[in-house]
Amino acid sequence: MRQCVKAFSFFCMSFILTCVFFSCVTPPQREECSRELLGTGIKGKNELIAFFVSHSPACDKEKVSRLADYYIEESAIEGINSDVAFVQMCLETGFLGFGNLVLPEMNNFCGLGAMDAEHPGEYFESEQIGVRAHIQHLQAYATTADVELHQECVDPRYSWPHKAKLAHTVHELTGSWATDPEYGIKLDRLLSELSNF
């Protein structure tokens, strides 16, 4: 009988300690992607790729992998939030589906200079230079004219944003980067999705 009581007491103590332990352990909190243009992105290459593939399963994964690397590297050089830049590329290109004025071979990942049939947008010699131009254009929006680039300027429209509105967040790109009244909301939504990866 004593052995049964001891066994039951041991079971009860073990159960109580287990409950106390697990009540003290909090589940990992999801870290939300920042909406600020300046700063450091929190998502790595694999997370950016997984996010992209979730929207476009049949995509060229090698190209997406290269672009993820370029966005992380080029953003770090200019102090731009790579999460913001990457989701903006996704929005602007329709997850590399293109289909409007800008063609894939233009290596123009942000619709730079695309206005109409006579002005379809800028051409860049490589994917990396196209990404660099995108990052530099974001840097122009997010800073004042006295803040210099860390690399040679490849963005032919770099000086234009300094004459327009200064933008600190994705929401402030609405009406200046794009005329779509929901532009910032769309970027915000994509960043919320990326936060889950």
Side-chain angles (χ1 to χ4, degrees):
M1 182 72 172
R2 275 187 191 173
Q3 288 179 341
C4 289
V5 170
K6 282 183 181 178
F8 181 72
S9 296
F10 178 77
F11 170 78
C12 288
M13 285 301 292
S14 297
F15 179 76
I16 290 168
L17 288 172
T18 301
C19 290
V20 168
F21 174 77
F22 282 108
S23 67
C24 293
V25 175
T26 56
Q29 297 294 314
R30 180 184 84 153
E31 190 174 0
E32 190 71 21
C33 293
S34 171
R35 274 55 174 176
E36 300 284 329
L37 303 188
L38 295 176
T40 304
I42 61 171
K43 298 301 179 180
K45 173 182 177 176
N46 291 337
E47 294 159 317
L48 295 179
I49 295 169
F51 163 75
F52 191 102
V53 170
S54 74
H55 280 268
S56 181
C59 67
D60 178 346
K61 292 177 184 65
E62 288 184 14
K63 181 171 185 173
V64 176
S65 177
R66 288 193 306 272
L67 290 176
D69 278 334
Y70 295 148
Y71 271 97
I72 291 168
E73 292 167 15
E74 297 291 336
S75 294
I77 291 168
E78 299 299 346
I80 294 296
N81 181 341
S82 56
D83 298 336
V84 166
F86 190 82
V87 300
Q88 188 179 34
M89 176 275 292
C90 294
L91 178 62
E92 288 283 346
T93 66
F95 289 86
L96 298 178
F98 294 95
N100 292 320
L101 296 170
V102 179
L103 303 173
E105 57 268 25
M106 295 166 73
N107 294 314
N108 183 341
F109 302 108
C110 64
L112 197 58
M115 293 179 280
D116 53 41
E118 292 182 9
H119 307 90
E122 303 292 343
Y123 282 76
F124 299 99
E125 64 190 59
S126 68
E127 291 172 351
Q128 185 167 13
I129 297 300
V131 171
R132 184 174 301 166
H134 179 187
I135 299 305
Q136 290 180 350
H137 209 62
L138 277 172
Q139 190 266 9
Y141 268 86
T143 63
T144 51
D146 59 308
V147 179
E148 295 183 5
L149 290 169
H150 291 93
Q151 297 192 91
E152 181 183 347
C153 184
V154 297
D155 171 12
R157 298 171 61 82
Y158 179 76
S159 62
W160 181 81
H162 291 136
K163 299 172 186 174
K165 180 182 173 187
L166 183 67
H168 298 290
T169 70
V170 295
H171 294 287
E172 293 171 346
L173 293 174
T174 303
S176 55
W177 187 292
T179 57
D180 180 357
E182 295 192 352
Y183 191 72
I185 294 170
K186 290 174 181 176
L187 290 172
D188 185 284
R189 192 178 298 132
L190 288 173
L191 286 163
S192 291
E193 288 184 33
L194 178 58
S195 297
N196 293 321
F197 287 83

